[in-house]
Amino acid sequence: MRERASIVCVDKEKLLLVKLCDPKSGRVFFAPPGGKVESGETPGDAAVRETFEETGCREKISPGIAMIEEYNFFWDGRNVLCRTHYFAAQLESETSIQPADAAYNLGREWCPLSEVFTRVESEGGINAAVVEVIGAMHCSVGVTHVN
């Protein structure tokens, strides 16, 4: 199982996303920034690191608002079982230049909240998880379940 961590950051009624292109299929989709939890790293630390590497944005995790989802995701020609930790976060700073990341990263984008459910990747229920974390952020209620 691939252990992952992602940031759900809303700023000025827009969600921070990364535009990605699957290396094998060429399929383009949007997802919250995130990636693999490295050895010795906490999921929260991984989410903050990955977000900066992918977007150039520095984030501060919001305490008490997080969730974990397990799902299958088709990437790079194979089905990958993922366990993703989603963390609500607040934007601390944003660079004007997109950082150099992997070739499949096509750049960051701020998506209006009204478009999140249709714009964010639906495979594995990623969009539903993101919408749930956003809802918890607006209600200041923590989400901590595992599916």
Side-chain angles (χ1 to χ4, degrees), residues 39-51:
S39 177
E41 190 174 43
T42 68
D45 289 343
V48 170
R49 174 186 52 77
E50 286 281 350
T51 298

Side-chain angles (χ1 to χ4, degrees), residues 10-70:
V10 175
D11 188 59
K12 299 175 186 154
E13 296 301 308
K14 293 184 178 182
L15 174 68
L16 177 61
L17 296 175
V18 179
K19 186 176 183 179
L20 302 168
C21 180
D22 185 288
K24 283 260 200 236
S25 70
R27 182 176 70 93
V28 175
F29 60 95
F30 292 92
K36 183 180 179 184
V37 178
E38 300 292 345
S39 177
E41 190 174 43
T42 68
D45 289 343
V48 170
R49 174 186 52 77
E50 286 281 350
T51 298
F52 182 71
E53 289 173 2
E54 293 180 353
T55 69
C57 295
R58 295 238 183 245
E59 308 290 335
K60 181 178 180 186
I61 291 178
S62 304
I65 303 176
M67 68 181 294
I68 302 169
E69 289 287 326
E70 292 181 3

Side-chain angles (χ1 to χ4, degrees), residues 116-139:
V116 167
F117 198 77
T118 56
R119 199 91 164 278
V120 175
E121 176 59 37
S122 61
E123 185 176 349
I126 294 171
N127 58 357
V130 169
V131 167
E132 191 167 345
V133 172
I134 291 170
M137 292 166 75
H138 281 84
C139 296

